[in-house]
Amino acid sequence: MHLLGQTLISGFLLGGMYALIAIGMTLIMGVMKIVNLAHGALVMVGMYVTYICFVLWHINPYAGMFISMLLLFVLGSLIQRYMINRLVEVDSILPENQVLLTVGISLVLTEVIRFIFKSDYLSVSTGFSGKTVFLGKMSVSVPMTIGFVIAMVFTYLLHLFLNRTDLGMTIRATAQDRDAAVYMGVNVSRVTMITFGLGSAFAAAGGSLLLPMFYLWPDIGHLFTAKAFIITILGGMGSTAGALLGGLTLGIAESLGATYISMGYKDVVGLVVFLLVLLFMPGGIKSLVKR
Amino acid sequence: MKKISSIVLAVILVFTVMLTGGCGNSSKSSAAGEVKIGVILPLTGSEAMFGTMEKNSFQLAYDELKAAGKTSVGGKEIKLMFEDDQSKQDVAKSAAEKLINQDKVAMLSGGYSSSCTKVIAGSAQTMGVPFLVVTGSADDITKQGWQWVFRGAAAPASKYTEALWDMMDKVIKPKTAAIIYENTDFGTSSAKAFRTACQKKGINIVFDQSYESGAIDFKPMLANMGKSNPDIVFAVSYVMDAAMIVKQMKELNLNTKLFIGGGAGYTMPEFKENAGNASDYVASTTLWIPNVKWPGAKDYFTKYKEKYNKEPDYHGAQAYATMYVIADAMQRAKELTPAGIQKSLKETDLMTIMGPIKFEDWDGYTNQDKPNTYVVQWLKGNLQVIWPQDVSTAKYVFPVPKWNER
């Protein structure tokens, strides 16, 4: 019995952090209809920023996260303004151009980081990295719990932002109908810039929360792009609640798979869930809520 | 304005293509003055750290040989051409074909992951170019009867544990064992050999599972393993997975009498750095240690540390020894053609920092050196040799103290 508990706890906590990374992607995908394959690379850059803050100035990763979010907001906005916008606004020959562009951006980011830091594995070890609390026989990792709580707070704040503020509503309006938003006087290019910035900042936050218990190397981005992609589809594009549920579902599914099938098939479990959702619930979790 | 910037973009693109493609092309003009050796290693991707260490070691050995005047053979200069396989089989294959067909290399070397090594070996065999493996360890690489494939500095994965089994029989004497391994060629190969050996010795395997490398959370698997309460754990992992596994075992308060790594990650300095004090008392099999008795081993370690400011482990030593084997074979080759080098490699009998290297046919292997293996253990932050006893640098600790007694 405690094995099931341990599995669920691990999956749940990890899923929360997956969700935070995926929320960034779902924002960008939902609002701009762009498949952003550079998302994982942005997570990676965010993690490196947090890492530098820790190594050079001994800033706790949870504080460094805010610096990293700010920087990534700027980086994301710039990428959107000067690179992606150029493709969105022009009728290009191939609609897949955005995909090619984001893949390119991700390669450039990865190789620049490799140029600076080499391919070494880096990790941040803080006093609490290995701390655990025992609930009965189940061990709960402290950094994971902190990460989970912060991820939930961010998700809730984003939810409030999108539903209660003017800017948030403008973002949602642009997501629903870009042309109509333009006619209503929305400065769409500014909105998309902010959205991309926000998405990148959330990517950085998710990465930074993982840093105290995981490790870092330039190619880590692919892992996150894949996970965020699955979760975004699971949850339904552009939905915060959907991404949250999607993240938790993926985390728990992976954990259960690892315990009861085999850890070698952990990724298979996630992908099977993904396929089932695509086949039987193409709108994602979001479509369930609507009905 | 738009036009200008798109032209600029196009120019940049063209330059990038030229730069990346250029590494290979520049050497086409080489003519008669050079004999080229292709070295395929993972220089980017998740295994880039190992690939870089091996490339550095190749370079270190090459510079030493050059200083000793051993890099020119009959007026021709030996030239190393490095290619990146990105730890991907398809890239490894095209790298091998490019080196053989375009660059006309005299022989190939490199090969880090077993899966890539296998692909390169296949290409080398079909195209008739000698290939000297540096690290790739899956058993079947030298079990195909392939005359063009040589493995000197690396042991077959199933033989990594020779010294360990000796120690098992005399000291550990476990009744039950758990096996966890990454689901790669190297992982499955090592696990399979360990499993067979356990069955032969009547050790009960109570847990046996593979995992996908790069996981964040190993706890479900580890908790499951803890339930079966094994005497010893045998784990095959690369470095960061290794660190995550022992850290999370500590977090779960999971105790065994001895945790043994099957080489690869568990001997690396990065393992200790990342796992922190969770690395204490972890034992591992290994093929090389800096204080081994072979001549030049300690020298290599200090030189590498001075030059690159990092500690090498056995992977670097493999590359370093391989470079010496290549230079030696080149010097003795009657003609610098693939066939000539193959013949001279086969006659190799060289003392290296990995011990004497000879390419022999035994136990179904072809052109395979007989390896020397050791058991090491992390004691107070240092990697100490604990078995075989005649070369040990410290007394083994067994059974290891429980997490809460440390």
Side-chain angles (χ1 to χ4, degrees):
Chain A
M1 189 56 208
H2 89 267
L3 189 63
L4 178 66
Q6 180 76 58
T7 308
L8 290 178
I9 287 175
S10 291
F12 197 70
L13 294 181
L14 194 59
M17 274 169 286
Y18 282 169
L20 190 56
I21 293 172
I23 281 170
M25 189 157 191
T26 203
L27 256 183
I28 294 171
M29 242 166 134
V31 173
M32 301 194 316
K33 312 285 181 278
I34 277 188
V35 181
N36 178 21
L37 294 177
H39 200 69
L42 291 168
V43 175
M44 181 269 299
V45 174
M47 287 172 90
Y48 269 96
V49 173
T50 312
Y51 173 79
I52 297 168
C53 289
F54 178 78
V55 172
L56 290 187
W57 302 296
H58 305 288
I59 300 174
N60 185 302
Y62 296 119
M65 176 176 76
F66 290 99
I67 303 174
S68 158
M69 284 175 77
L70 198 70
L71 272 174
L72 262 283
F73 181 85
V74 175
L75 179 68
S77 312
L78 290 179
I79 287 178
Q80 154 64 20
R81 177 87 177 75
Y82 292 103
M83 297 169 125
I84 296 176
N85 228 9
R86 298 173 62 93
L87 283 189
V88 176
E89 283 173 358
V90 174
D91 277 328
S92 54
I93 314 166
L94 287 169
E96 292 83 5
N97 272 0
Q98 308 153 354
V99 175
L100 297 181
L101 180 68
T102 52
V103 168
I105 293 171
S106 115
L107 284 176
V108 169
L109 288 176
T110 311
E111 295 310 316
V112 167
I113 291 285
R114 194 195 313 284
F115 185 71
I116 306 173
F117 294 94
K118 313 252 169 47
S119 295
D120 295 346
Y121 294 110
L122 304 170
S123 69
V124 161
S125 78
T126 51
F128 50 82
S129 279
K131 282 253 168 65
T132 45
V133 175
F134 279 87
L135 286 180
K137 270 177 145 184
M138 295 172 287
S139 106
V140 183
S141 146
V142 171
M144 259 194 163
T145 315
I146 300 176
F148 180 81
V149 171
I150 297 179
M152 290 306 108
V153 171
F154 273 135
T155 312
Y156 185 65
L157 287 181
L158 181 72
H159 186 73
L160 286 186
F161 169 76
L162 286 179
N163 287 300
R164 299 284 165 80
T165 64
D166 270 358
L167 186 56
M169 284 193 241
T170 334
I171 290 179
R172 285 196 300 142
T174 315
Q176 272 175 12
D177 192 329
R178 197 185 170 90
D179 291 336
V182 174
Y183 295 140
M184 298 302 147
V186 171
N187 184 347
V188 170
S189 70
R190 194 175 131 252
V191 168
T192 47
M193 202 170 110
I194 292 173
T195 314
F196 205 99
L198 264 182
S200 312
F202 275 91
S208 306
L209 290 178
L210 279 173
L211 196 55
M213 63 204 129
F214 200 42
Y215 51 95
L216 182 56
W217 80 101
D219 298 281
I220 196 176
H222 306 301
L223 179 79
F224 296 127
T225 307
K227 295 256 188 285
F229 198 72
I230 295 175
I231 295 169
T232 307
I233 303 293
L234 263 180
M237 274 198 262
S239 150
T240 11
L244 179 61
L245 284 174
L248 294 177
T249 313
L250 184 68
I252 292 174
E254 278 187 354
S255 262
L256 285 175
T259 306
Y260 294 105
I261 303 173
S262 159
M263 213 177 146
Y265 298 111
K266 187 178 63 96
D267 286 354
V268 177
V269 173
L271 289 169
V272 165
V273 173
F274 174 65
L275 275 183
L276 290 179
V277 168
L278 275 185
L279 284 176
F280 298 109
M281 210 166 64
I285 296 173
K286 195 172 72 168
S287 63
L288 280 186
V289 182
K290 272 194 185 145
R291 247 182 259 160
Chain B
M1 192 55 210
K2 240 179 194 169
K3 217 171 193 177
I4 296 175
S5 48
S6 51
I7 291 172
V8 171
L9 195 72
V11 171
I12 292 174
L13 270 177
V14 170
F15 266 107
T16 334
V17 171
M18 275 165 59
L19 273 178
T20 45
C23 313
N25 292 341
S26 58
S27 56
K28 261 190 185 158
S29 55
S30 61
E34 281 172 348
V35 47
K36 287 186 259 185
I37 295 164
V39 183
I40 304 169
L41 291 170
L43 301 173
T44 60
S46 57
E47 284 155 6
M49 198 181 77
F50 300 93
T52 316
M53 185 203 287
E54 298 194 344
K55 185 183 173 189
N56 289 344
S57 301
F58 260 105
Q59 208 65 53
L60 189 69
Y62 183 83
D63 292 344
E64 284 173 22
L65 287 160
K66 191 171 178 125
K70 283 183 184 161
T71 51
S72 64
V73 192
K76 287 185 177 181
E77 187 71 13
I78 296 178
K79 187 178 177 220
L80 296 179
M81 301 187 65
F82 291 99
E83 284 282 335
D84 181 12
D85 67 21
Q86 301 170 19
S87 322
K88 291 178 188 149
Q89 287 180 306
D90 50 334
V91 185
K93 186 162 178 64
S94 57
E97 286 175 355
K98 179 205 162 242
L99 286 167
I100 296 172
N101 294 328
Q102 280 185 34
D103 299 319
K104 312 268 182 235
V105 292
M107 70 173 286
L108 287 174
S109 187
Y112 176 74
S113 69
S114 293
S115 50
C116 288
T117 309
K118 219 180 263 179
V119 172
I120 303 168
S123 301
Q125 174 68 20
T126 40
M127 294 194 225
V129 172
F131 172 44
L132 176 54
V133 178
V134 174
T135 303
S137 298
D139 281 4
D140 49 358
I141 294 171
T142 44
K143 269 202 166 169
Q144 316 270 4
W146 287 350
Q147 296 303 322
W148 293 93
V149 180
F150 294 80
R151 187 156 61 188
S158 62
K159 304 283 176 196
Y160 270 56
T161 47
E162 300 246 292
L164 175 67
W165 280 110
D166 189 41
M167 185 177 172
M168 290 265 225
D169 290 343
K170 289 176 185 148
V171 182
I172 309 174
K173 298 179 185 130
K175 292 205 173 54
T176 54
I179 310 176
I180 48 179
Y181 58 100
E182 52 166 32
N183 55 0
T184 59
D185 249 357
F186 175 66
T188 22
S189 218
S190 306
K192 196 173 143 203
F194 192 84
R195 208 175 288 137
T196 336
C198 279
Q199 279 154 4
K200 225 184 278 168
K201 314 237 170 195
I203 298 168
N204 193 9
I205 299 170
V206 287
F207 187 81
D208 187 347
Q209 204 172 90
S210 70
Y211 65 84
E212 181 98 29
S213 175
I216 300 173
D217 191 12
F218 288 90
K219 282 186 189 155
M221 179 179 77
L222 294 175
N224 223 346
M225 180 178 85
K227 226 175 48 171
S228 61
N229 198 18
D231 279 351
I232 57 159
V233 178
F234 181 73
V236 190
S237 331
Y238 281 126
V239 60
M240 294 316 270
D241 291 331
M244 299 293 284
I245 288 173
V246 295
K247 271 199 286 193
Q248 295 185 6
M249 277 186 68
K250 186 181 173 192
E251 286 176 26
L252 288 172
N253 190 23
L254 223 161
N255 293 296
T256 56
K257 285 186 191 153
L258 188 64
F259 184 98
I260 307 156
Y266 292 94
T267 56
M268 313 250 331
E270 280 82 0
F271 167 66
K272 182 195 69 188
E273 273 162 39
N274 286 291
N277 61 8
S279 69
D280 280 349
Y281 305 112
V282 169
S284 174
T285 61
T286 189
L287 300 178
W288 183 82
I289 31 170
N291 41 8
V292 71
K293 59 187 173 183
W294 314 118
K298 191 83 201 171
D299 271 359
Y300 158 72
F301 183 79
T302 34
K303 270 191 226 158
Y304 188 99
K305 211 176 155 185
E306 258 168 43
K307 189 163 177 192
Y308 301 106
N309 218 356
K310 277 185 81 171
E311 287 180 15
D313 75 342
Y314 77 85
H315 298 97
Q318 287 178 323
Y320 183 86
T322 301
M323 184 66 233
Y324 271 87
V325 173
I326 292 174
D328 169 70
M330 291 284 173
Q331 294 291 343
R332 286 184 292 101
K334 298 227 167 54
E335 43 186 325
L336 289 176
T337 56
I341 294 170
Q342 182 203 25
K343 191 159 172 289
S344 126
L345 269 174
K346 187 80 193 166
E347 290 159 1
T348 298
D349 184 1
L350 185 72
M351 187 52 138
T352 68
I353 60 165
M354 298 285 298
I357 290 184
K358 269 188 228 168
F359 299 103
E360 293 169 289
D361 303 343
W362 50 283
D363 262 17
Y365 296 104
T366 312
N367 299 335
Q368 170 69 55
D369 180 54
K370 285 186 180 152
N372 295 290
T373 61
Y374 309 88
V375 183
V376 287
Q377 190 172 28
W378 288 98
L379 296 168
K380 299 195 184 95
N382 289 312
L383 196 58
Q384 306 281 6
V385 187
I386 53 166
W387 205 268
Q389 267 177 322
D390 52 327
V391 292
S392 67
T393 54
K395 173 105 176 99
Y396 56 79
V397 176
F398 176 83
V400 306
K402 294 202 161 73
W403 293 111
N404 51 15
E405 291 163 9
R406 295 188 183 178

